[in-house]
Amino acid sequence: MTGEVGRVALPQHTVDSRLVVVARAQRAEDYDAVLDVLIDAGIRSVELTLTTPGTFDRMPHLLAQYGAVADLGIGTVTSASDLARAADAGASYLVTPITSPAFVAQATDAGVPIVPGGLTPTELYASWSAGASAVKIFPAGQVGPGYLKDLRGPFPDLVAVPSGGVDLAGASAWLAAGALAVSVGGPLLGDAFAGGDLVALRDRAQAFVEVCAR
């Protein structure tokens, strides 16, 4: 699915749900139990992180298990080789914490959506003008939703996904400010990857799904 020329649009589950859950586990085998709960609770977009050992090896299994109902992206991409491998692995989208027009070009050439991180107007515009699918305002907790409203002055077409410290109230505020979606980690996942209560995880996930669906 492509948007304007040279820009690959984000996949539909992500756009429709307006919520990306960043799954950072100790090992890739831990994804399954948590993703079972997240998907059942209505989460439709999960960013698997390359700081989790074994993510690439686990990807075929995860796509077979959840790929029909949810977008599975790969994040924390910090090298051209990892970007190529993530694209080849079937990632629904790619996320990088850095501003790199070269990464945007590489992902676009591969036909895979990419969301590069940045904080300053210069960084965010550099990625957007290079053809990024969206830009990740990171760390979003350091600026707040009003920042996106300010950015929309000079950059009215900017498509943004805030990430980092976005809690339930923040998700609602960022979306009201015009974010395409919000990227959420700790405030939703809590201690789920450390043996935490999965019933509580389900409750938190459902609360975020409800807020983001409004």
Side-chain angles (χ1 to χ4, degrees):
M1 174 179 169
T2 58
E4 63 186 78
V5 175
R7 197 184 303 281
V8 184
L10 286 169
Q12 206 59 49
H13 286 307
T14 301
V15 173
D16 289 346
S17 66
R18 306 201 300 169
L19 174 63
V20 177
V21 177
V22 182
R24 203 177 297 280
Q26 292 298 312
R27 52 182 197 149
E29 291 80 3
D30 297 334
Y31 282 139
D32 294 59
V34 171
L35 262 63
D36 279 344
V37 174
L38 295 178
I39 301 298
D40 190 57
I43 300 297
R44 291 296 176 262
S45 186
V46 178
E47 176 191 331
L48 308 169
T49 57
L50 292 185
T51 51
T52 301
T55 291
F56 281 134
D57 292 337
R58 198 70 177 169
M59 194 65 176
H61 164 79
L62 296 173
L63 285 171
Q65 191 79 5
Y66 310 108
V69 295
D71 297 331
L72 298 182
I74 291 181
T76 326
V77 175
T78 56
S79 71
S81 58
D82 279 347
L83 192 153
R85 192 173 177 190
D88 290 343
S92 300
Y93 54 85
L94 307 172
V95 182
T96 173
I98 63 173
T99 300
S100 172
F103 282 6
V104 174
Q106 183 182 351
T108 301
D109 287 346
V112 183
I114 184 167
V115 184
L119 188 61
T120 69
T122 299
E123 291 168 342
L124 296 168
Y125 183 70
S127 292
W128 182 246
S129 61
S133 307
V135 293
K136 180 173 80 165
I137 299 175
F138 175 80
Q142 299 300 312
V143 288
Y147 188 56
L148 179 54
K149 291 183 179 179
D150 291 340
L151 289 170
R152 280 288 171 77
F155 313 128
D157 298 326
L158 189 75
V159 176
V161 179
S163 180
V166 179
D167 59 13
L168 195 60
S172 179
W174 277 104
L175 291 169
L180 175 81
V182 291
S183 174
V184 179
L188 190 157
L189 288 169
D191 59 356
F193 281 120
D197 185 348
L198 295 183
V199 174
L201 172 64
R202 183 188 307 274
D203 291 343
R204 291 192 300 272
Q206 288 175 335
F208 272 92
V209 167
E210 182 179 340
V211 162
C212 294
R214 291 175 186 162

